[in-house]
Amino acid sequence: MRPMSRRGFSLIELVIVVVIIGIIAAIAIPRMSRGSQGAQESALVGNLAVLRNAVDMFTNEHGGTKPTDASSIANQLTKETNVSGSTTIGAGEIAYGPYLRDVPPLPVGANQGQTAFGATLGTASVGWIYDTSHAKLVYANCPDAEVSPQTGKKYNTY
């Protein structure tokens, strides 16, 4: 008679494998979550650069006149405009723009995903604030409490 051969894993071997997987997960998961936060911050910086560049191009082509206000800036940046900034172009008028294909969504904060412009910080359902009296003109619609976990910088100051 043959002795019975051993097949499978012992309970101790299985426990050791589970402990090793747990250690790897404990190290990897926080690193991955920090990576996605960093990506959102980079997207915020990039989206703001695109929006501010579009405002600058509009201003340069329209003789130093900035987009009108928060209620019309999206149309003025994404559609053709005449020299006065109107999206209604008459016969014989030169068409300027568009400067953006679409308004990018806000990638961070409570208003994440919103593409609309507003005039006042904290306006619900608005991703971006457009304020001609503000030095940066366009900034994120995030309350002061929403800050970068990596740098501690307020999102509305980027």
Side-chain angles (χ1 to χ4, degrees), residues 44 140 142-148 151-158:
L44 173 64
C142 296
D144 287 342
E146 290 181 353
V147 299
S148 164
T151 64
K153 186 174 179 180
K154 298 175 188 176
Y155 289 133
N156 61 20
T157 63
Y158 277 82

Side-chain angles (χ1 to χ4, degrees), residues 70-146:
S71 63
S72 58
I73 186 174
N75 281 335
Q76 289 178 319
L77 295 180
T78 59
K79 297 180 179 172
E80 290 183 339
T81 57
N82 62 17
V83 72
S84 66
S86 171
T87 56
T88 304
I89 309 215
E93 286 188 302
I94 297 173
Y96 298 100
Y99 307 96
L100 295 172
R101 184 173 292 156
D102 293 305
V103 175
L106 180 67
V108 296
N111 292 317
Q112 183 176 8
Q114 298 294 327
T115 60
F117 285 90
T120 309
L121 191 64
T123 306
S125 301
V126 169
W128 307 105
I129 301 300
Y130 176 67
D131 183 359
T132 56
S133 66
H134 193 277
K136 294 182 179 176
L137 295 175
V138 177
Y139 55 98
N141 182 25
C142 296
D144 287 342
E146 290 181 353

Side-chain angles (χ1 to χ4, degrees), residues 9-24:
F9 298 104
S10 71
L11 183 59
I12 293 175
E13 291 169 328
L14 290 174
V15 168
I16 290 172
V17 169
V18 169
V19 167
I20 291 171
I21 290 172
I23 291 170
I24 292 171

Side-chain angles (χ1 to χ4, degrees), residues 34-94:
R34 281 194 307 261
S36 69
Q37 184 61 40
Q40 289 175 331
E41 259 181 83
S42 294
L44 173 64
V45 171
N47 289 350
L48 283 168
V50 165
L51 289 169
R52 290 172 180 155
N53 187 39
V55 170
D56 288 344
M57 287 190 300
F58 179 97
T59 304
N60 288 335
E61 284 193 347
H62 290 81
T65 303
K66 293 180 176 83
T68 313
D69 55 30
S71 63
S72 58
I73 186 174
N75 281 335
Q76 289 178 319
L77 295 180
T78 59
K79 297 180 179 172
E80 290 183 339
T81 57
N82 62 17
V83 72
S84 66
S86 171
T87 56
T88 304
I89 309 215
E93 286 188 302
I94 297 173

